[in-house]
Amino acid sequence: MLDLTRAGKALVEELEAIRLRGMERVLARMAADDRRRVLTGLEALVDAAESVSEHDTRTPRGRRASA
């Protein structure tokens, strides 16, 4: 098991804050209707991901999953 150092945890928090600020800037440029559509799409993505069994996520070695 690995644990982050205090400095490592601080770096992760800083990078997360940078990522969130970037996402906030992008979302702020979008119309409210577009933001709602993004949210609906993300909710659908999460629902689909939760319904996939572990067996369904495996692909044979050397083969790519198709979308």
Side-chain angles (χ1 to χ4, degrees):
M1 177 191 270
L2 299 174
D3 286 322
L4 290 175
T5 63
R6 194 172 300 157
K9 290 177 184 177
L11 178 59
V12 168
E13 289 174 7
E14 180 182 349
L15 293 173
E16 179 71 9
I18 290 168
R19 186 188 65 79
L20 288 174
R21 284 193 304 271
M23 184 59 68
E24 287 171 351
R25 284 193 301 272
V26 169
L27 292 171
R29 296 178 129 182
M30 296 173 68
D33 286 343
D34 291 336
R35 286 193 303 268
R36 278 191 283 280
R37 283 194 292 271
V38 167
L39 179 59
T40 299
L42 289 173
E43 289 170 340
L45 180 65
V46 169
D47 290 345
E50 289 175 346
S51 69
V52 174
S53 72
E54 186 174 309
H55 180 278
D56 292 338
T57 62
R58 293 184 187 164
T59 57
R61 285 189 141 219
R63 295 184 61 195
R64 291 179 181 245
S66 59

